[in-house]
Amino acid sequence: MNRWEHIKQYQQAGAHVFMALPNQKYNAVEGGFNNSFGNGDELRQWITQHPEYQNGNVGIDLSKSNLVVVDIDKHEQNGMASILAWFKSHNVNPDTLQDTYVEQTPTGGLHAFYLIPCS
């Protein structure tokens, strides 16, 4: 799948997408990650005005999207061990959590995406 097919899937799932600079996590245009769009045509129009983002990274503006993302890092401490200890201390069985999309981060951590039901 190409970048635009992925973006379309994100937007169809209710995500607002922004473009970051290549090899970066941020959008340096005034407004930053708030330059996000739930429509691919609007995003393409924005990119024509900011061509330096054409080959940039894709980000999701969680403030506008019906998603929650749990970011489990493995930097100085092991986030996986920490979250499992939290589950145990709060009597949460990880097997009872909803199935979700999980991706591995470049540093070995995890991002778990959860949909917020629309009311």
Side-chain angles (χ1 to χ4, degrees), residues 11-94:
Q11 290 171 327
Q12 286 174 340
H16 281 68
V17 175
F18 69 92
M19 298 303 295
L21 290 168
N23 302 312
Q24 300 294 323
K25 295 181 178 181
Y26 64 91
N27 178 304
V29 174
E30 184 176 343
F33 67 84
N34 291 307
N35 296 310
S36 62
F37 304 93
N39 176 294
D41 293 335
E42 292 173 350
L43 179 60
R44 283 188 173 108
Q45 183 179 13
W46 185 88
I47 287 175
T48 61
Q49 297 169 3
H50 305 281
E52 65 274 24
Y53 289 84
Q54 177 66 40
N55 296 313
N57 289 335
V58 177
I60 296 175
D61 179 352
L62 293 174
S63 70
K64 293 180 186 175
S65 301
N66 60 340
L67 294 169
V68 171
V69 178
V70 178
D71 183 4
I72 305 167
D73 290 324
K74 286 186 174 181
H75 298 299
E76 294 175 17
Q77 298 183 10
N78 185 334
M80 190 62 69
S82 297
I83 200 164
L84 290 174
W86 186 90
F87 286 158
K88 185 175 182 179
S89 71
H90 288 80
N91 296 317
V92 175
N93 179 349

